[in-house]
Amino acid sequence: MTEEAGTDHSLTPVLRALRLCLHLMVAALLGLAAVRAVADQSAAAPAVIATAVVLLALYVLGPALPRVRTSSRAAALWLAAVVLVWMVLLALTPDGVWLAFPLYFVQLHLLPLRWALPAVASSTALAIAGFAWHTHSLSVGTVIGPVLGAAVAVAVVLGYQALYRESEQRRRLIEELTEARSELAAVERAAGVLAERERLAREIHDTLAQGLSSIQLLLRAAERAIPERPETALGHVRQARTAAVDNLAEARRFVHALSPPDLEAGSLPAALERLCAATARTSGLAVHCQVSGAPTALPTPHEVALLRIAQSALANTVQHAAARRVELTLSYMDTEVALDVVDDGAGFVPSEVPPPGSDAAAGTGFGLAAMRARARALQGTLAVESAPGEGTALAVTLPCPAATSAQEAAL
């Protein structure tokens, strides 16, 4: 059976209406043949009526049988029986020729195209031969009528099949687009969740983790100083308490995606100077901060990124470098802003830094990765130069959006 031939529940309302019209046409044409046989007082009238009734019963019985609806073989056998009874009717009355037209549609509907077209051609030839046998003549109209009916039926069915295939393609395309849209939405949600996790990881590493590390160092120093230098120990405890208060404020602010307190209290250079002073006070390192060029206002994301990178770089120096001196330089240029952090510590091999999370117990490996992620998010670059025993130099460069916009406007 063709792809359009299906059960009733798979048919659209338009197809149900067309099929009902086809059934009504068959019944009307059979009734017309019987009435005309009686009206013409034909001797074959009883045979015509009986054949019409048998053909109508057989035609109605076919769709009612489940095997005919589901099996191509059963449908072909039923169609052969209908054609045989129709040939008997065609032999009894010339009015049987009109049944050829609905029969074309039934053949095209039930049979594959490679069998349907020969069946339609055979039915056309039978219709022409039967009508010519009854009229004892073969005219142009006798031939054109059935042939034209067959051509119309074939064109209608082929056109419908083409529309059906196109409709199916569109339906599948819509389903694929809907599925792709759902997948894209899921990917975007996952990307948003991942981006938020990365933001929180960077903020925690650059604020809470570094602050807790500083508090730990201060408390250790206080613990060592308690027996002999209680005043010094008290100073370390006070510094640890201040660091705890500051980190609590930081935690509350980055949860709400607000600017760091140091930036809200002043400019980026001032915030970096306070950071260097606090690091020197808590670690004992000689930390110097200088600004090169004329300071210009930067977007908040740029200032936050530079401050966080500076915090992370200084924390790494305090914890791992065993340095005596650190130089932090903020450089304002025409189209870029750069931050350099240079120490005279033990140094390391940058290519041998473990990836983030490789040592979960130690919690190392996140600092450089977080700094690179911050720079990359703002179309910037981060470079690290170091070697064992030769200290470390870290440089981050960010484009200045104001300068970039001015250049684009000039172009």
Side-chain angles (χ1 to χ4, degrees), residues 43-198:
V48 171
I49 295 174
T51 304
V53 171
V54 171
L55 182 56
L56 181 60
L58 184 61
Y59 183 84
V60 173
L61 181 63
L65 296 175
R67 291 283 296 172
V68 174
R69 295 199 305 268
T70 59
S71 172
S72 299
R73 181 180 179 84
L77 291 175
W78 170 79
L79 182 59
V82 171
V83 172
L84 288 176
V85 178
W86 170 66
M87 291 174 61
V88 173
L89 181 65
L90 186 62
L92 295 174
T93 174
D95 293 327
V97 71
W98 305 115
L99 270 298
F101 185 69
L103 190 61
Y104 296 152
F105 287 97
V106 176
Q107 292 169 336
L108 291 167
H109 178 72
L110 292 180
L111 300 176
L113 192 60
R114 63 179 182 275
W115 298 111
L117 293 179
V120 170
S122 300
S123 298
T124 303
L126 288 173
I128 294 172
F131 193 79
W133 182 72
H134 282 288
T135 60
H136 305 289
S137 64
L138 186 62
S139 62
V140 176
T142 303
V143 176
I144 290 179
V147 171
L148 185 60
V152 170
V154 170
V156 169
V157 171
L158 292 182
Y160 164 72
Q161 291 179 356
L163 291 175
Y164 180 85
R165 287 191 295 269
E166 183 178 353
S167 176
E168 283 296 298
Q169 291 176 356
R170 289 183 178 179
R171 182 184 61 80
R172 287 193 293 268
L173 179 60
I174 291 174
E175 291 179 352
E176 292 175 359
L177 290 175
T178 302
E179 183 179 357
R181 183 180 298 175
S182 300
E183 293 177 354
L184 179 60
V187 170
E188 289 178 348
R189 286 194 297 270
V193 171
L194 181 60
E196 183 62 14
R197 286 178 178 176
E198 291 180 351

Side-chain angles (χ1 to χ4, degrees), residues 235-298:
H236 290 321
V237 171
R238 288 172 177 171
Q239 290 179 2
R241 185 179 64 182
T242 302
V245 172
D246 293 341
N247 277 269
L248 179 60
E250 289 278 8
R252 289 170 176 170
R253 289 176 179 274
F254 79 67
V255 165
H256 296 287
L258 299 176
S259 299
D262 287 340
L263 289 179
E264 289 189 347
S267 62
L268 176 61
L272 292 176
E273 289 178 358
R274 287 192 295 271
L275 172 64
C276 291
T279 303
R281 186 172 58 253
T282 57
S283 66
L285 292 178
V287 185
H288 297 90
C289 178
Q290 59 182 344
V291 178
S292 173
T296 58
L298 297 174

